[in-house]
Amino acid sequence: MKKIIGRKIGMVQLYDVNGAAIPCTIVQVEPNIILENKPNKSVKVGFGETKENKLNKPELGVFKKLGVAAKKNVRTLSNIDNEYKPGESLNLDIFKAGEYVDVQGVTKGHGFTGAIKRWNFKIGPLSHGHGYPHRYQGSLAFGRGGNAPQRVYKGKKMHGHYGHETVTIQNLSIVIIFKEQNLILIRGAIPGPEGSYVIIKSSNKRAKDSIEYNIITKDIQKSIEEANLSFENKEFAKESNDEAELKEKIAEAKKEENK
């Protein structure tokens, strides 16, 4: 499996040659430096530039031993197909435009949230005299005494911490890759706020599939504008010729009438 770690920048909207809008998420993927090979096809990588004084001596010694710049983050990627040597780097070259990928990230945190927002429960009555129950969860209905448990079952949908969970979005396609800027544009939304780190990996379900996008680039846009301009000029010339012919016919008709 191919994997690489990047940083979510934001979203943008592109258009293809047919005029269809394609929502894309921009991910900046700097080279992931291989720090260590682990068993079971796992590697430890470092990414994100940082100053040396931000690290302690043991952490800094790992990078100096390999002769690479200090990295801010260190993570382990498991189930990697290729065998990499320490000091090598993972780049965007492992992916191609049109390829399907899965993106894993941590969702936005919403803090301690009520059950209405957290689980999409129905609100209470809004009419006069009900006080303020329309944001309450309501009865848990566990009973009183007898065989009814005097507790709340584990996993009960209630108010609590919402968000900040590891989520994987599957079957997202790569629209375009800018190797010089280390940017990859993925169709659709991915979890996490702007600036958060995500793991891009080859798709489990559609690894062999691919799709082709005909995005309107600057060159294509320029050719379209030139074609539209020439078409407008031809239409304007045709209209001018038609008007001139019509005026000539009217002038000839007046001459005949005067005779």
Side-chain angles (χ1 to χ4, degrees):
M1 180 178 288
K2 298 180 294 185
K3 290 184 179 181
I4 198 168
I5 300 176
R7 187 166 61 92
K8 181 179 177 181
I9 301 299
M11 294 197 70
V12 70
Q13 187 169 265
L14 303 180
Y15 294 90
D16 63 4
V17 293
N18 296 322
I22 303 175
C24 300
T25 302
I26 306 173
V27 181
Q28 184 180 17
V29 181
E30 297 178 355
N32 293 183
I33 306 300
I34 306 296
L35 302 179
E36 181 185 351
N37 279 326
K38 291 191 170 186
N40 300 326
K41 297 182 179 181
S42 298
V43 294
K44 183 184 288 187
V45 299
F47 57 95
E49 299 294 337
T50 187
K51 297 180 180 179
E52 294 185 356
N53 58 5
K54 298 291 183 180
L55 304 177
N56 56 34
K57 288 185 178 180
E59 294 173 342
L60 187 60
V62 174
F63 300 105
K64 286 188 175 181
K65 183 178 179 180
L66 297 175
V68 296
K71 301 297 180 182
K72 182 179 180 181
N73 303 296
V74 176
R75 290 190 186 179
T76 300
L77 298 178
S78 60
N79 195 16
I80 302 296
D81 293 337
N82 298 334
E83 294 183 0
Y84 295 96
K85 297 180 180 179
E88 294 182 351
S89 61
L90 287 172
N91 300 313
L92 281 176
D93 298 335
I94 60 177
F95 292 108
K96 297 180 181 179
E99 187 176 355
Y100 283 91
V101 294
D102 298 339
V103 181
Q104 176 182 322
V106 179
T107 60
K108 294 180 180 180
H110 296 264
F112 193 92
T113 310
I116 304 296
K117 180 178 180 180
R118 190 183 184 197
W119 299 109
N120 198 26
F121 283 176
K122 183 179 178 181
I123 64 174
L126 299 175
S127 58
H128 177 71
H130 285 285
Y132 190 71
H134 52 273
R135 301 297 297 184
Y136 293 174
Q137 181 173 354
S139 175
L140 301 180
F142 282 103
R144 297 175 61 188
N147 294 328
Q150 305 302 304
R151 61 186 177 84
V152 177
Y153 288 129
K154 184 181 290 187
K156 176 69 177 177
K157 292 183 179 180
M158 298 177 64
H159 47 268
H161 184 77
Y162 176 46
H164 198 72
E165 299 175 338
T166 301
V167 175
T168 300
I169 306 298
Q170 296 181 330
N171 303 329
L172 300 176
S173 56
I174 299 175
V175 178
I176 191 171
I177 296 176
F178 298 100
K179 294 182 180 180
E180 296 180 357
Q181 293 83 7
N182 292 327
L183 297 177
I184 181 172
L185 273 64
I186 301 174
R187 180 167 187 168
I190 63 177
E194 295 181 4
S196 61
Y197 289 98
V198 296
I199 300 176
I200 305 172
K201 48 189 176 181
S202 55
S203 176
N204 283 329
K205 298 179 179 178
R206 304 187 63 176
K208 297 181 181 180
D209 299 340
S210 62
I211 185 172
E212 184 177 355
Y213 292 100
N214 295 322
I215 303 299
I216 297 180
T217 60
K218 291 184 178 180
D219 297 335
I220 296 176
Q221 185 178 2
K222 186 177 180 180
S223 62
I224 292 174
E225 290 176 354
E226 291 176 355
N228 291 336
L229 183 61
S230 62
F231 178 76
E232 291 175 358
N233 292 335
K234 289 180 181 178
E235 289 293 322
F236 179 75
K238 184 179 178 182
E239 291 177 359
S240 301
N241 293 333
D242 293 341
E243 290 179 0
E245 291 177 359
L246 182 60
K247 288 180 180 179
E248 289 180 359
K249 290 180 181 179
I250 293 173
E252 291 177 357
K254 286 183 179 180
K255 288 180 180 179
E256 292 179 355
E257 289 178 359
N258 294 331
K259 289 180 180 179

